[in-house]
Amino acid sequence: MIAAAFAAVSPTNFCILSAEEQGTGLAIVKPDGQLLARVEVGSWPHEVEVSPDGRTAYVSQFGITDYDSRIGTPGDHVSRIDLASARETGRYRLPSALRAPHGVKLRPSTDELFVNAEAGGDTMLVYDAGSRRLLRTFPLDKGSHNFVFSPNGRFVYVFAGTEGVAKYDALTGRRIAKQTFETPVRGLRVAPTGMIAAANKGEVTLLDADDLKVRQRLPAPVASQLIYLEALPGGTIVAPSLVDNGVIWFERGKPARLVPTGKGALNVRLAPDGRLYVANVDDDHLTVLNTDGSIIGQVGHGIAGPNGLAFGVCPLSSAERG
């Protein structure tokens, strides 16, 4: 499953892409930690998406610090970046009434780029990825912060903090189901079982993908808010905890445990090489983990507050460019 997920990106020759929340760019880093390029995006970039061929990145210029503090000026665009040349090739501009683009995802099996705006009214914007033309919009629940698609792209699941999780028809924008919880939701992932994994306070909740009913609760060894989680092919779920400076490791048949990674562990993603990379937003590096939870080391020292993570092709050298 790892190979299938990254079919267009070599497991031995890829780059890590990290939005620099405390900077203004997208950092492009080799797995050995070498910083190859930094592409200017604008203040407080947050999330990164990559095209299926691994050659194009999309970075949201959120413009404000985070979900809670709202320091800064809400951003107005998503940058399109050609990774081979490490340069911006266009911007998806938000309508004048909307600001603070945050989540950014390509809808599977289409040429549509989805972006949710958090300022001016919670709204999903749908662009043609090629022409950058705005195709349609639809309203979201208050506080909507980010989202994931069903594997076939028919549905989009959006999390909205204290408002919980909502399921929408990706074409019509009709809300199909909603689930609220006693604590906020700050991360979603489609698990290999087909259920939706939601990051709550002190636990991960597994939801039925059809009706969003709670199917299972996985208690954490901490009571704090969990955030952008990852679901591994074997069933393990890894959920960062900002205040605990590490990730919670949920493995079937074993007690959940804390794996320390760095200050402000925010995001974790499975890479083409089969390793996990953790973005420590209040630190300057990524922590690398094996899929058994053991720590391999740290890379990317010098990244200005790593936030969103993705993987793609590396920039060409001057010799390769000719």
Side-chain angles (χ1 to χ4, degrees):
M1 291 184 67
I2 292 174
F6 299 103
V9 181
S10 167
T12 58
N13 185 24
F14 69 95
C15 272
I16 308 158
L17 315 176
S18 178
E20 298 183 287
E21 182 187 298
Q22 297 171 23
T24 58
L26 174 71
I28 305 177
V29 181
K30 289 286 287 183
D32 64 7
Q34 180 186 3
L35 177 64
L36 296 184
R38 178 175 277 119
V39 184
E40 183 73 15
V41 172
S43 62
W44 302 102
H46 268 227
E47 302 299 326
V48 187
E49 172 73 325
V50 176
S51 60
D53 63 5
R55 300 183 60 84
T56 305
Y58 306 86
V59 184
S60 59
Q61 190 253 325
F62 192 41
I64 49 183
T65 51
D66 58 37
Y67 191 80
D68 299 311
S69 67
R70 300 284 167 157
I71 297 170
T73 302
D76 65 357
H77 70 274
V78 170
S79 291
R80 182 176 66 193
I81 296 169
D82 176 72
L83 294 175
S85 61
R87 64 184 181 90
E88 185 183 61
T89 58
R91 291 185 170 184
Y92 301 80
R93 297 285 184 180
L94 271 64
S96 58
L98 299 173
R99 287 293 183 265
H102 190 256
V104 54
K105 299 284 190 306
L106 288 162
R107 182 184 173 199
S109 304
T110 74
D111 293 321
E112 294 181 344
L113 183 73
F114 277 52
V115 180
N116 72 286
E118 294 193 31
D122 295 274
T123 304
M124 187 69 80
L125 303 130
V126 184
Y127 294 87
D128 180 278
S131 68
R132 292 178 279 136
R133 181 170 62 93
L134 181 63
L135 301 175
R136 62 186 183 277
T137 66
F138 57 87
L140 301 174
D141 287 343
K142 181 181 178 181
S144 292
H145 192 54
N146 214 326
F147 57 93
V148 296
F149 281 103
S150 61
N152 62 8
R154 182 179 176 184
F155 305 110
V156 57
Y157 301 89
V158 183
F159 69 85
T162 56
E163 290 295 314
V165 179
K167 176 183 178 180
Y168 298 86
D169 184 297
L171 182 61
T172 67
R174 180 176 66 90
R175 194 177 77 184
I176 299 169
K178 181 174 179 175
Q179 181 64 262
T180 57
F181 307 84
E182 295 179 359
T183 64
V185 179
R186 294 290 303 274
L188 286 181
R189 201 69 170 165
V190 179
T193 59
M195 288 190 287
I196 307 299
N200 296 90
K201 273 188 177 180
E203 66 178 5
V204 166
T205 310
L206 298 180
L207 311 176
D208 187 286
D210 291 329
D211 57 17
L212 298 184
K213 290 183 179 179
V214 176
R215 296 305 181 195
Q216 189 176 1
R217 296 183 184 274
L218 307 177
V222 300
S224 44
Q225 179 70 56
L226 306 184
I227 199 159
Y228 290 104
L229 70 178
E230 179 64 289
L232 306 188
T236 295
I237 293 175
V238 186
S241 172
L242 279 166
V243 301
D244 294 296
N245 300 322
V247 299
I248 309 302
W249 198 268
F250 298 91
E251 187 173 353
R252 287 179 180 174
K254 297 182 180 180
R257 58 191 171 96
L258 172 67
V259 179
T261 59
K263 297 177 183 176
L266 173 70
N267 202 340
V268 57
R269 287 292 174 261
L270 180 65
D273 60 3
R275 296 175 172 180
L276 289 158
Y277 291 79
V278 181
N280 306 296
V281 71
D282 294 324
D283 235 319
D284 68 345
H285 67 271
L286 309 174
T287 300
V288 190
L289 305 176
N290 281 311
T291 51
D292 63 2
S294 59
I295 297 175
I296 297 172
Q298 299 173 351
V299 299
H301 288 279
I303 299 175
N307 191 325
L309 291 176
F311 309 96
V313 303
C314 296
L316 298 176
S317 65
S318 55
E320 290 171 320
R321 293 176 193 174

